[in-house]
Amino acid sequence: MASTDTTPAKDGNDLAGLEAGLDALETVQTGRTPLRKTLTQKVLPPIVAIVLVLGVWQFLVSSGIADDPSKLPSPSDVWGELRDSWLQGTLHEYIWTSVSRGLLGFLLALAIGTPLGLLVARVRFVRAAIGPILSGLQSLPSVAWVPPAVIWLGLTDRMMFAVILLGAVPSIANGLVSGVDQVPPLFLRAGRTLGATGLKGTWHIVMPAALPGYLAGLKQGWAFSWRSLMAAEIIASSPDLGVGLGQLLENGRTTSSMSMVFFAILLILIVGIAIDLLIFSPLERRVLRSRGLLARS
């Protein structure tokens, strides 16, 4: 009785299937996401969340659960504050005063925190000397720097920037250190073999490989910058400093206007979310997608 050996054919089919699977993994989807899918997955959820929050807020006010209107204003009262600020032409001044300070302070923190992070990550003695200090500074509340900054620099913009730097630089530096620590040693050896050493190796090998961790540090650095600035504006007030969002919040407290307090809180929240959505989230998605860590939609 003759027997047939099907092993080679089976192996050939398995190999073909494996090749097809690898080709599918390498295939890049370049089609445009349908508008309907974008609306339902990215636009509709936050709108629904906002509507629910406003509904619960209005229910608490209308039902009498929050029986003291001076402590919990209605959404219409806060909307009235927004309308008045818009009509008076002060709304954009509030926002621009804080946003310009926050972005400039963040850029200064970026210029200081990046080389500092590289130095800590690449030089063992520096890491042993100031690495723990950076971690301690990162855990220190930003508001703690406001009193000494006021004493040292007075009620000036320099004081604001000093508080931002002290809050943001440790986060940016530690984020870069974390990213550098996650660079595979094989990359560094390959770079040295190709002649990428010193600053050239840092620019062409270390920084690109550490970019995901560095971006996480930048996002956290911006959050610390914004929080530090709000703390400084709330505590340190002066006519020479103008009225930012933090000062607007403090004005609402001193005048016992809860509608102004809620108005300022919402503006602070909206600006922080907008900066993240417009700058950091697209940049992070682009970097992760270029490394195959995020599915293309």
Side-chain angles (χ1 to χ4, degrees):
M1 181 176 180
S3 61
T4 58
D5 189 2
T6 61
T7 301
K10 183 178 179 180
D11 293 342
N13 292 334
D14 293 342
L15 182 60
L18 178 60
E19 291 176 349
L22 293 175
D23 291 339
L25 288 174
E26 295 176 354
T27 300
V28 178
Q29 300 177 3
T30 57
R32 183 182 294 273
T33 304
L35 178 60
R36 181 178 179 181
K37 183 178 180 181
T38 301
L39 292 175
T40 56
Q41 293 186 356
K42 296 183 179 180
V43 178
L44 185 59
I47 292 178
V48 172
I50 292 173
V51 171
L52 289 175
V53 170
L54 291 176
V56 172
W57 183 0
Q58 184 61 51
F59 171 77
L60 292 175
V61 175
S62 302
S63 63
I65 296 177
D67 54 355
D68 190 351
S70 65
K71 295 183 179 179
L72 182 63
S74 65
S76 61
D77 293 335
V78 179
W79 175 257
E81 290 285 346
L82 173 62
R83 184 182 63 252
D84 293 342
S85 297
W86 174 264
L87 294 176
Q88 295 170 8
T90 57
L91 178 61
H92 71 280
E93 295 179 3
Y94 298 150
I95 297 175
W96 176 247
T97 298
S98 293
V99 170
S100 59
R101 283 174 181 160
L103 290 178
L104 181 56
F106 174 74
L107 292 177
L108 292 174
L110 180 64
I112 297 173
T114 299
L116 179 61
L118 284 173
L119 191 64
V120 173
R122 304 291 288 171
V123 181
R124 292 183 179 179
F125 176 79
V126 176
R127 171 176 290 204
I130 67 174
I133 298 176
L134 285 177
S135 299
L137 289 176
Q138 187 175 354
S139 63
L140 184 68
S142 304
V143 69
W145 290 113
V146 178
V150 171
I151 295 173
W152 294 334
L153 303 173
L155 295 175
T156 62
D157 282 332
R158 293 184 300 166
M159 178 273 298
M160 300 281 185
F161 294 135
V163 174
I164 292 174
L165 291 177
L166 290 168
V169 167
S171 297
I172 295 175
N174 281 332
L176 183 53
V177 171
S178 178
V180 172
D181 288 343
Q182 296 176 21
V183 176
L186 180 62
F187 289 6
L188 302 178
R189 291 197 296 268
R192 286 194 294 267
T193 302
L194 297 174
T197 58
L199 292 177
K200 186 182 294 185
T202 299
W203 180 254
H204 293 287
I205 304 297
V206 176
M207 286 299 294
L211 198 53
Y214 182 43
L215 282 178
L218 292 184
K219 290 185 65 174
Q220 191 175 36
W222 162 251
F224 273 82
S225 297
W226 191 238
R227 288 160 50 184
S228 302
L229 176 61
M230 292 302 102
E233 288 186 349
I234 290 172
I235 296 176
S237 61
S238 170
D240 297 334
L241 294 175
V243 180
L245 298 179
Q247 182 60 51
L248 180 65
L249 179 62
E250 178 63 13
N251 290 344
R253 185 194 68 82
T254 55
T255 59
S256 299
S257 174
M258 285 303 297
S259 58
M260 184 181 293
V261 169
F262 272 71
F263 172 52
I265 291 174
L266 289 176
L267 286 181
I268 294 171
L269 181 63
I270 290 172
V271 170
I273 293 174
I275 295 295
D276 180 75
L277 291 179
L278 295 176
I279 298 177
F280 293 106
S281 292
L283 187 59
E284 185 178 33
R285 286 196 301 269
R286 182 176 179 181
V287 170
L288 294 179
R289 189 177 292 121
S290 67
R291 285 160 168 74
L293 300 175
L294 187 66
R296 295 179 182 269
S297 56

